[in-house]
Amino acid sequence: MSRIPLEKLTAALLLAAIALLSVNLKLRLSLAQPRYDAQDELGYFRSESAMQLRYARMVAQGRNIPELDRDAQYPEGAHPRREQALLMEYATGLCLRLLEALGLPAPSLRWFVLVWAAAASSLSILALYFLSYSLSRSRAVSLAAAAAYALSWAGLSNLIGSYRLESLALPLIHLSLAALCGALDPAETRFKRHAAVSGLCMAMALGSWHFAPFYWASFLAAYACVYWRRRREPEARRRLRFSLTCQLGSAAAAGLMFPSLRHALAGRHGSFGHVYALLFEKLRHGLVKPLDPAALSPEARLLWTGPFNSPEPGFLVFCLLPFAFMLLPRLLALLKREKSEPPSPAEMLIDALLILYGLGTVLVSRLLPFAVFLLPAAALRLPGRRRQSAGLAAFFAFVALAEGFKAAAPASPLNPFMRLSASLSREESQPGLSWNNEKDLLDWLKARKGAEPVLASYGLSASILAYAEKPVLLQPKFEAPEIRAKTMEFLKALYSGEEEFAAYCKKYQAALFVYGADMILDETPDGPRYASGSMGLKPDTAAVLFHFHPERLKHFRLLSQNEDFRVYEAGRGSAETPAPAPIYDISYYNPRVAPDGALKLDVAGVLRRRRARELKLFLARVLVRLGRRREALRLYEEASAAWPR
């Protein structure tokens, strides 16, 4: 049995240490989230992560994911097996069942999911190492590049406290690209094996994330450009053709194997068209949402939020500095016009993809993780032996240390990138919903007996389904057009009259309605009012009655409330209601009715006063700890004057 060379063994051990450090960092940051409670798992995951947690829990318990899931989209039901990519949920649940079968102590589901997602996503670190080594032939440089990616905020921030499909799909995409670049390496004699591995990883990625087909389409476009430029070189053409055959064959097999792909390719639901339509709308409006939401299509208003927004300058600065400095050696070489060998097909492919995803990130911030993985590999395109130099390895290692500090202490006052990004960021204008109030709501719903269908915003609905175990009318998996239409119908009814909203609840058999204060308070283009198609309100708008006048409701009765949420029973008129919290008292909003019948509210003033109260309370707590009690008392009094508790 041959011995492993010391250099390879050392590199393998260091690579494992880097991956473990990345896993540890992700877990530490996940446990530091305000939503984390060591004694209570309730409500930790939200939105799509909560939906995926529920399906993973089914698999771990030995239950089948239903073909028709009525509880997830009551009463007509959702079709998770044909509308959603479920590979990650099956993999997670089966791994947990394997631990139990081996007689090992079973961890809590939340802890296992966090560890599993952190470990699976760290496979991208291995992929970048192998990709970097095929380009540089330097283990030191490749290890330093992998470390910079492993510790980068941009590479791990999406995975903190979440259970996203990209936890598995992105590593598969990255492994596919690394194996493909190995196949295109002229020095690699076993290129067919690499091409086959690349195709297999891509097939698995296509079945694990609904976004993977978009990546594959962009990959084919970049690949076509590379092939066109190298088509006259026999060896390059032979490798490119064989690799493409493996990619196409694997994609075809994935289309037959995975129900979600088979259903989409059959054209039975518009799982892709709405994304292309959104991109068209963004380009049509110059990446800026129009002031009038009616200028956008209904689906664009619904989807153009959160990760589908274009990134702000402050966000890009914090994510990409100092990580983007890895490109400096290449930029200096270009400025000096240093001679270099013609680029290999792999280098051309990486450059083409980086350009595509760099531009794509400007359109959609969710594409940033793709560009971040490609950047270190693109940085290795240097002349001569400079890509193997100790100086380059040391420079990449320095970037890794800086990124590690930034990720380990993102809010530290010593973090210069936080200060710089803060100066370039707009003030947060969305009303923040308290985690304590959300947990209070989930506790209340969970304690209530019976399988009462609940109507709530689609993001919150996923938590209600996963943790309170109540059927919900809406859910955040927008791949199927039916749920998008149902959500838009909900928003239209919410900002119409009470009769229209009561008819919606009756149509879909809602027993409870969870009203969120943001349905009135959020006046941003990311809020539900904008998504409904009109920012205007009238005194008899259903949302206005739910927020300010529950006693006037004829078809809904207030059951419970806190400062962020109210729960109404549908189908019954108002009864004696509890005294409202100040946030629900219309007198604080300086209301007036315009000549055209529109209700004008000083929402911005209310939010400003609330933020002032929270800031003064925070400073008062700091002063108490410093022993400056008289000054703290003054701030407490100012906080109460700004906004009553």
Side-chain angles (χ1 to χ4, degrees):
M1 186 174 180
S2 60
R3 292 184 177 180
I4 301 176
L6 181 60
E7 184 184 5
K8 284 187 176 181
L9 180 60
T10 303
L13 291 174
L14 289 174
L15 185 60
I18 291 169
L20 288 174
L21 183 60
S22 180
V23 169
N24 178 268
L25 185 55
K26 293 169 191 170
L27 290 175
R28 282 182 53 213
L29 292 171
S30 295
L31 300 187
Q33 296 298 298
R35 306 176 71 84
Y36 179 78
D37 183 341
Q39 307 301 322
D40 190 355
E41 297 189 10
L42 189 77
Y44 179 82
F45 293 109
R46 299 193 76 247
S47 193
E48 292 188 358
S49 292
M51 289 283 292
Q52 283 134 211
L53 177 79
R54 176 171 172 265
Y55 290 133
R57 183 171 59 206
M58 288 182 179
V59 177
Q61 293 172 347
R63 294 187 289 156
N64 290 324
I65 296 177
E67 185 68 36
L68 180 66
D69 190 352
R70 292 191 181 277
D71 286 353
Q73 192 175 316
Y74 195 84
E76 71 277 11
H79 298 83
R81 295 172 65 181
R82 76 182 192 193
E83 294 171 353
Q84 301 174 30
L86 297 170
L87 183 61
M88 183 185 74
E89 292 92 319
Y90 275 109
T92 308
L94 291 174
C95 284
L96 186 55
R97 290 181 65 186
L98 178 61
L99 288 181
E100 295 173 352
L102 294 174
L104 298 174
S108 69
L109 180 61
R110 179 183 61 183
W111 174 250
F112 183 79
V113 164
L114 287 173
V115 173
W116 192 95
S121 61
S122 295
L123 291 174
S124 291
I125 301 168
L126 277 65
L128 183 60
Y129 171 80
F130 292 125
L131 176 58
S132 300
Y133 185 74
S134 71
L135 297 173
S136 67
R137 287 294 185 268
S138 168
R139 300 190 190 279
V141 169
S142 302
L143 284 169
Y149 173 77
L151 302 178
S152 68
W153 179 257
L156 57 82
S157 59
N158 275 10
L159 306 167
I160 296 170
S162 67
Y163 182 47
R164 298 173 182 263
L165 295 180
E166 62 196 78
S167 302
L168 177 62
L170 267 181
L172 290 170
I173 290 172
H174 295 157
L175 288 168
S176 175
L177 181 61
L180 177 66
C181 289
L184 299 180
D185 183 358
E188 179 56 63
T189 58
R190 298 175 295 179
F191 76 92
K192 292 185 178 180
R193 183 183 302 178
H194 283 73
V197 170
S198 175
L200 176 62
C201 290
M202 180 51 64
M204 301 298 286
L206 289 170
S208 60
W209 193 17
H210 61 275
F211 193 84
F214 293 99
Y215 165 80
W216 198 66
S218 65
F219 161 79
L220 289 180
Y223 200 86
C225 294
V226 175
Y227 182 85
W228 177 257
R229 293 188 61 183
R230 308 304 288 265
R231 68 190 186 281
R232 300 186 186 281
E233 303 172 22
E235 180 60 23
R237 185 172 65 244
R238 182 168 73 99
R239 290 172 181 259
L240 286 164
R241 283 182 174 177
F242 184 83
S243 298
L244 181 59
T245 301
C246 290
Q247 291 287 321
L248 295 174
S250 298
L256 296 174
M257 183 187 310
F258 295 106
S260 59
L261 286 175
R262 189 165 62 245
H263 193 68
L265 294 174
R268 294 174 186 163
H269 68 82
S271 59
F272 301 142
H274 64 290
V275 177
Y276 292 119
L278 171 62
L279 296 180
F280 172 77
E281 288 280 5
K282 294 194 74 170
L283 291 172
R284 186 166 72 94
H285 291 280
L287 307 184
V288 178
K289 290 182 183 178
L291 293 177
D292 181 8
L296 290 175
S297 66
E299 287 199 334
R301 294 196 303 266
L302 192 63
L303 297 171
W304 192 346
T305 60
F308 286 95
N309 283 327
S310 298
E312 290 189 356
F315 170 81
L316 288 178
V317 165
F318 190 76
C319 286
L320 296 180
L321 292 181
F323 189 76
F325 290 165
M326 296 179 73
L327 286 172
L328 279 179
R330 181 173 175 183
L331 293 177
L332 291 174
L334 288 174
L335 291 174
K336 293 179 180 179
R337 298 183 180 181
E338 297 182 14
K339 293 183 179 180
S340 60
E341 299 177 357
S344 67
E347 291 172 329
M348 293 173 62
L349 178 62
I350 290 167
D351 279 356
L353 286 172
L354 181 58
I355 292 171
L356 281 175
Y357 281 98
L359 295 174
T361 299
V362 176
L363 283 172
V364 176
S365 62
R366 192 169 189 176
L367 297 182
L368 181 62
F370 289 90
V372 167
F373 178 83
L374 295 164
L375 190 147
L380 291 172
R381 187 172 158 186
L382 293 168
R385 299 183 62 84
R386 285 184 55 190
R387 66 180 68 187
Q388 301 174 351
S389 67
L392 184 64
F395 178 66
F396 283 1
F398 173 77
V399 173
L401 288 173
E403 281 289 337
F405 168 75
K406 183 178 73 176
S412 170
L414 300 177
N415 188 338
F417 307 106
M418 172 60 76
R419 293 187 178 185
L420 180 58
S421 64
S423 66
L424 298 173
S425 299
R426 293 178 299 180
E427 183 181 355
E428 179 60 52
S429 55
Q430 280 192 291
L433 298 180
S434 163
W435 157 232
N436 289 331
N437 289 335
E438 184 176 330
K439 189 173 184 299
D440 174 65
L441 168 69
L442 294 174
D443 279 325
W444 188 91
L445 288 170
K446 188 174 183 179
R448 190 174 171 90
K449 303 298 182 183
E452 301 167 298
V454 179
L455 172 60
S457 63
Y458 56 84
L460 180 61
S461 291
S463 297
I464 294 172
L465 175 66
Y467 293 105
E469 300 182 351
K470 300 282 189 185
V472 294
L473 274 64
L474 304 177
Q475 48 98 354
K477 293 286 190 177
F478 281 172
E479 285 72 40
E482 293 82 8
I483 188 58
R484 301 196 296 270
K486 188 177 182 181
T487 301
M488 289 184 285
E489 186 183 354
F490 158 71
L491 291 170
K492 181 179 179 181
L494 178 64
Y495 296 102
S496 299
E498 183 192 357
E499 295 295 332
E500 289 86 346
F501 192 76
Y504 179 90
C505 291
K506 184 177 181 180
K507 176 181 178 180
Y508 294 109
Q509 304 173 32
L512 300 175
F513 168 54
V514 176
Y515 171 82
D518 61 328
M519 293 173 179
I520 286 291
L521 300 181
D522 194 340
E523 296 184 318
T524 71
D526 279 357
R529 288 172 61 179
Y530 189 96
S532 73
S534 175
M535 298 295 293
L537 297 172
K538 293 186 176 180
D540 60 350
T541 296
V544 172
L545 297 179
F546 286 126
H547 195 101
F548 297 115
H549 305 296
E551 71 283 354
R552 298 183 189 173
L553 293 166
K554 300 177 181 178
H555 304 284
F556 298 89
R557 183 166 65 120
L558 181 61
L559 299 180
S560 175
Q561 70 173 359
N562 58 40
E563 281 198 327
D564 288 324
F565 301 101
R566 279 178 157 174
V567 182
Y568 287 91
E569 182 182 11
R572 300 184 63 180
S574 62
E576 184 177 347
T577 59
I583 197 66
Y584 301 118
D585 189 340
I586 197 170
S587 64
Y588 288 102
Y589 292 78
N590 299 320
R592 63 182 181 86
V593 179
D596 61 354
L599 177 64
K600 302 297 182 180
L601 300 170
D602 184 18
V603 172
V606 167
L607 295 179
R608 186 167 54 250
R609 291 168 65 188
R610 287 184 79 193
R611 281 193 289 267
R613 180 194 70 178
E614 296 304 318
L615 177 60
K616 290 178 184 297
L617 287 175
F618 172 77
L619 294 175
R621 287 191 289 268
V622 173
L623 290 174
V624 167
R625 292 181 180 180
L626 295 175
R628 297 161 64 178
R629 297 180 179 274
R630 186 179 297 277
E631 295 172 70
L633 179 60
R634 178 178 56 79
L635 281 174
Y636 276 120
E637 292 172 347
E638 291 179 3
S640 297
W643 185 258
R645 293 186 68 83

